[in-house]
């Protein structure tokens, strides 16, 4: 740098003292992981945080955090990771991590087990519906107390799709950033190609409709890395990936806003079948087509029947003696 460059930089610094404060600002983001039981949520979190631990089954709602510095000698940003265990059996707990204080820096990661397509839609629908209604309530309250934040959030979700995108008016973005992860791709890859196509197409439609990113993953390091890219973008503001993979014979990777209804095509069913299905929204139509091939398990089957109090990993001698006495 010449003396002039240094002088210009010094003057700018004096005129805009806030820039330095901004660079030293610590940002906090929160992410809630939820989804199918035993779908690998904990494994994905541990990989994102580069921890070499053996994942344990999650009981109810668990919390951990990660810290990263954006540049050398800057304070570390913090990402709070919440994980909802038990599939769809503990939906009430979603209210705990998502609050009006952190809603503007909150994101959701939905992990779906590709190897169990009969549970897939029910799990996805229940979790997203409960989360959406909770977030909508928070936003309605914010509209009265802090309308700027509420408006900014709505606009931000709309910005995922460029205004000139042909589907701009046709989709219904989720109110906060959403990533959908299809796990156990290694098992899914062995499925018949027609079934794979139906599942892939349906998940592409759902994630595009909600303005979400979609990635398929398994225990393979390369695929976990792709999921990590999307999660690090939400957690630490790392750059978004611009690469896209929509080939149904390969694992899907589609960042939010980079798909389109014309590329996804119509629901995978014959015209006469589609004609018979009564649906009020495109989402409902896709659901009916999907469930025709994969009849859903009833909600009761997905509920947790095991009593965590009987689980050996939570044994506490004094407490257990008292309980035994009480039961007796």
């Amino acid at each position: 740098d010449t003396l002039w460059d240094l002088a210009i930089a010094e003057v700018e610094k004096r005129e805009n003292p806030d820039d330095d404060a901004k660079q030293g600002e610590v940002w906090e983001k929160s992410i809630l992981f939820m989804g199918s039981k035993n779908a690998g949520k904990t494994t994905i979190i541990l990989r994102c945080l580069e921890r070499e631990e053996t994942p344990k089954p999650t009981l109810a709602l668990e919390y951990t955090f990660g810290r990263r510095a954006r540049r050398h000698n800057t304070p570390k940003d913090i990402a709070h990771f919440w994980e909802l265990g038990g599939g769809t059996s503990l939906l009430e707990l979603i209210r705990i991590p998502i609050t009006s204080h952190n809603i503007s820096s909150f994101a959701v990661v939905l992990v779906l087990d590709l190897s169990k397509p009969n549970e897939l839609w029910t799990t996805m629908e229940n979790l997203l519906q409960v989360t959406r209604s909770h977030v909508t309530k928070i936003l309605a309250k914010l509209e009265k107390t802090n309308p700027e934040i509420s408006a900014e959030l709505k606009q931000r979700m709309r910005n995922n799709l460029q205004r000139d995108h042909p589907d701009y008016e046709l989709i219904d973005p989720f109110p906060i950033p959403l990533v959908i992860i299809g796990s156990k791709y290694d098992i899914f890859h062995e499925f018949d190609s027609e079934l794979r196509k139906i599942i892939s197409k349906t998940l592409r439609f759902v994630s595009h409709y909600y303005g979400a990113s979609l990635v398929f993953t398994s225990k393979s390091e390369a695929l976990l890395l792709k999921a990590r890219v999307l999660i690090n973008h939400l957690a630490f503001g790392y750059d978004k990936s611009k690469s896209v993979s929509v080939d149904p014979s390969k694992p899907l990777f589609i960042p939010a806003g980079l798909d389109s209804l014309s590329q996804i095509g119509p629901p995978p069913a014959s015209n006469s079948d589609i004609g018979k299905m009564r649906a009020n929204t495109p989402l409902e139509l896709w659901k009916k087509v999907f469930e025709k091939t994969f009849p859903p398990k009833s909600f009761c089957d997905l509920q947790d029947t095991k009593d965590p109090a009987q689980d050996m990993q939570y044994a506490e001698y004094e407490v257990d003696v008292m309980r035994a006495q009480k039961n007796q």
Side-chain angles (χ1 to χ4, degrees), residues 117-215:
N118 299 71
E119 296 175 13
L120 196 141
W121 193 285
T122 315
T123 302
M124 173 175 76
E125 188 174 59
N126 286 313
L127 287 166
L128 290 182
Q129 269 175 358
V130 172
T131 310
R132 183 168 213 152
S133 77
H134 175 59
V135 170
T136 310
K137 273 182 203 153
I138 291 179
L139 290 177
K141 268 190 203 155
L142 276 178
E143 224 148 52
K144 292 174 190 145
T145 56
N146 198 337
E148 293 90 28
I149 285 192
S150 174
E152 185 195 324
L153 271 174
K154 283 180 182 158
Q155 193 47 49
R156 197 193 309 163
M157 288 320 295
R158 272 276 168 213
N159 288 348
N160 263 341
L161 215 55
Q162 305 301 324
R163 266 192 181 281
D164 54 3
H165 194 293
D167 307 336
Y168 190 78
E169 295 300 330
L170 302 171
I171 65 164
D172 180 18
F174 204 67
I176 52 179
L178 172 66
V179 169
I180 298 177
I181 296 180
S183 69
K184 304 199 181 171
Y185 177 77
D186 42 345
I187 302 172
F188 170 76
H189 193 56
E190 304 296 314
F191 284 13
D192 172 69
S193 69
E194 273 313 301
L195 298 180
R196 281 211 315 265
K197 206 177 274 179
I198 294 172
I199 298 170
S200 299
K201 243 184 151 181
T202 303
L203 284 177
R204 273 181 71 185
F205 171 77
V206 170
S207 51
H208 181 58
Y209 186 72
Y210 282 138
S213 299
L214 175 67
V215 58

Side-chain angles (χ1 to χ4, degrees), residues 59-75:
L59 180 76
L61 188 66
E62 293 199 359
Y63 168 82
T64 184
F65 67 93
R67 297 172 69 194
R68 300 264 163 87
R70 262 173 282 181
R71 283 181 299 281
H72 190 55
N73 282 345
T74 54

Side-chain angles (χ1 to χ4, degrees), residues 48 89-90 250 299:
C48 284
S89 58
L90 300 164
K250 297 194 175 86
F299 191 51

Side-chain angles (χ1 to χ4, degrees), residues 30-75:
S30 305
I31 300 181
L32 171 64
F33 285 77
M34 55 190 189
S36 318
K37 275 190 67 141
N38 306 323
K41 297 183 285 296
T42 314
T43 308
I44 294 167
I45 293 175
L46 292 173
R47 287 304 302 125
C48 284
L49 298 174
E50 293 170 15
R51 288 192 197 151
E52 300 294 327
E53 294 168 29
T54 316
K56 283 198 194 82
T58 302
L59 180 76
L61 188 66
E62 293 199 359
Y63 168 82
T64 184
F65 67 93
R67 297 172 69 194
R68 300 264 163 87
R70 262 173 282 181
R71 283 181 299 281
H72 190 55
N73 282 345
T74 54

Side-chain angles (χ1 to χ4, degrees), residues 7 24 78 97-98 113 154 197 213 226 240 267 272 279 292 325:
I78 301 165
I98 310 178
D113 187 338
K154 283 180 182 158
K197 206 177 274 179
S213 299
K226 289 199 151 183
K240 256 186 184 167
S272 62
K292 195 168 186 284
Q325 210 173 339

